[in-house]
Amino acid sequence: MELATVKAQNGKISFPYIPVAVFIGGTSGIGRATAEALARYTNGNTNIIIVGRNRAAADSIIASFPRPSFPSVKHEFIQCDVTLLKNVRQTTNEILSRHSKINLLVISTGEMELFNREITEDGLDRIVVLAYYSRWKFIHGLMPALAKAKEANEDAKVLSVASAGLGGKVDLEDLELKKVSLIPFLRSISTYNDLMVEGFALHFPSITFIHCSPGRVRTPLGSNSSSILFRTLSFLINSPFSPWYYYSLAPEDAGEYQLYGILYTASAPGAWRITQDGSDLGKKGYNGDENARDVLWRYTLEVTSTK
C-alpha cells in the first residue's frame, strides 16, 4: 500500500471518545513513531502512556506532542525494565490504577543481543522475555481495561510488533528454547507471537489482537549491541551512504503503516497478522496449529503467573 494513501486515511482518524493508548517500548523506534503519529492525528487528544527505561527520551517525545484541548487528557511515562516480570506486574497495576479503560495497546520491546543469551533473575532467557513473556504478561494483566473499553463499545486492540510471516515449527518439548540454534530460535519466537494473539483471541473473543512484521526499519535497535555483526548491520541500514538505507523504512513511515494496520486493517475482533505496510498478511508464513496454541498458552500461564 502506498504511504500517501495510508497517511491520507490516518488523517481521517476520529474517535467519538478520548482514547487511551499504551505503548510498551515506546521510547524509540516503531513504538515511538506510532505514538507520535497517533498524538499528531488526534491533535494531542489521546491519553498516551509510554512505558520504557529511558525517561529523558520519553520526556522529549511527550514534549513534542500537540497540546491537548481537554485538561483531563494526560501524556504520561512509566519507567520499567520489562526484562523482569515482577516489573511488568507492577507497571500493569500502576496503569490500571490510572486508567480503567485501554483502547490501544502497542508492544514493541526488543534488543539485538542474540549471541549473548543472558538468563534473567527469573530464570528466563532475556530475549524471549522481551519478545514474548513480558508481552504476554502485559496483555493478560491489562485485559480488564481492554475488556471494559469493549463493553463501552469502544476500540479494544492489541498490537505486538515482531516478525509475522517469518515463523517456524516449534518444539513442544522445548518451549524454553534452550536446545535450538539461532535461526530456529528466531523463527520460534515469531510463531510464539502468532500463537499468542490466537490464544488471546480464543479466550477474549470480543477483542482484537494483532501480530505485525514491520520489515527493515531504520531504528537504533542494533547500534548498542555487543555483536559486531548487528552493529554493522545497524550502520548499513541507518547510514544514508549505504544502499541498504534505501531498502528500509524510516521509523516515522513504519509508525504510519502500523497505526493504519491497527486502526483500519484489523477491523474486527479476533487474531490478525499484518505486513510491513499495514495490510492483512493472512496465513502466509504461518507455522502454528491449535494444539501448539493451547500447549503454549498453558505453559506461558504457568511461567508468568509465578513471577
Side-chain angles (χ1 to χ4, degrees):
M1 187 171 298
E2 294 294 329
L3 181 60
T5 302
V6 167
K7 287 184 175 181
Q9 191 66 32
N10 286 345
K12 299 176 183 179
I13 291 172
S14 177
F15 293 94
Y17 51 87
I18 302 297
V20 177
V22 178
F23 292 86
I24 312 293
T27 57
S28 67
I30 298 167
R32 171 178 183 161
T34 308
E36 290 173 335
L38 180 62
R40 183 171 65 253
Y41 287 123
T42 59
N43 296 312
N45 292 313
T46 296
N47 289 295
I48 294 178
I49 304 96
I50 294 175
V51 176
R53 289 180 295 181
N54 192 332
R55 180 175 294 276
D59 289 344
S60 175
I61 296 165
I62 289 171
S64 74
F65 290 166
R67 186 177 297 276
S69 306
F70 306 99
S72 61
V73 175
K74 293 181 173 58
H75 302 149
E76 308 165 277
F77 171 67
I78 298 177
Q79 196 163 33
C80 177
D81 176 358
V82 305
T83 62
L84 297 179
L85 294 184
K86 66 180 181 181
N87 296 345
V88 173
R89 183 181 68 252
Q90 292 168 357
T91 300
T92 297
N93 290 338
E94 185 169 353
I95 293 171
L96 292 176
S97 72
R98 299 183 188 188
H99 299 278
S100 61
K101 294 187 293 185
I102 293 174
N103 303 105
L104 303 175
L105 172 59
V106 177
I107 312 178
S108 58
T109 50
E111 64 182 17
M112 287 294 185
E113 290 293 348
L114 300 179
F115 297 110
N116 181 19
R117 300 280 295 277
E118 177 186 340
I119 302 301
T120 70
E121 66 180 51
D122 290 324
L124 302 171
D125 188 307
R126 178 185 175 94
I127 297 300
V128 187
V129 174
L130 285 168
Y132 176 67
Y133 291 120
S134 65
R135 297 176 183 222
W136 196 99
K137 193 170 180 67
F138 266 120
I139 298 169
H140 193 261
L142 293 174
M143 195 55 61
L146 288 159
K148 190 166 184 179
K150 194 64 182 180
E151 290 168 3
N153 294 316
E154 299 177 0
D155 279 333
K157 297 184 174 184
V158 177
L159 174 65
S160 180
V161 181
S163 52
L166 300 176
K169 291 290 185 181
V170 298
D171 182 354
L172 299 183
E173 301 300 319
D174 182 30
L175 292 175
E176 294 181 319
L177 300 177
K178 290 183 175 181
K179 303 174 184 177
V180 295
S181 57
L182 180 60
I183 298 303
F185 173 81
L186 294 175
R187 291 189 179 278
S188 294
I189 287 177
S190 175
T191 301
Y192 278 22
N193 273 265
D194 284 341
L195 299 176
M196 176 178 72
V197 299
E198 288 185 350
F200 276 109
L202 176 68
H203 288 84
F204 303 94
S206 67
I207 297 173
T208 304
F209 302 93
I210 313 156
H211 176 203
C212 85
S213 177
R216 291 185 297 272
V217 182
R218 298 192 291 273
T219 73
L221 187 62
S223 302
N224 298 317
S225 173
S226 61
S227 166
I228 295 176
L229 172 61
F230 286 123
R231 291 201 305 272
T232 302
L233 289 174
S234 180
F235 171 79
L236 291 174
I237 290 173
N238 291 305
S239 172
F241 301 105
S242 165
W244 284 26
Y245 180 90
Y246 301 97
Y247 293 95
S248 58
L249 285 176
E252 55 267 26
D253 294 341
E256 292 279 357
Y257 283 127
Q258 296 313 311
L259 184 61
Y260 174 87
I262 192 173
L263 291 178
Y264 295 107
T265 301
S267 56
W272 292 76
R273 301 162 81 236
I274 61 175
T275 66
Q276 181 181 39
D277 66 2
S279 57
D280 185 12
L281 179 62
K283 289 293 188 179
K284 184 178 179 180
Y286 177 77
N287 283 274
D289 57 50
E290 291 183 2
N291 180 58
R293 178 199 65 198
D294 295 343
V295 171
L296 183 64
W297 177 274
R298 292 191 295 268
Y299 164 79
T300 309
L301 183 61
E302 180 180 354
V303 169
T304 59
S305 65
T306 59
K307 305 291 190 296

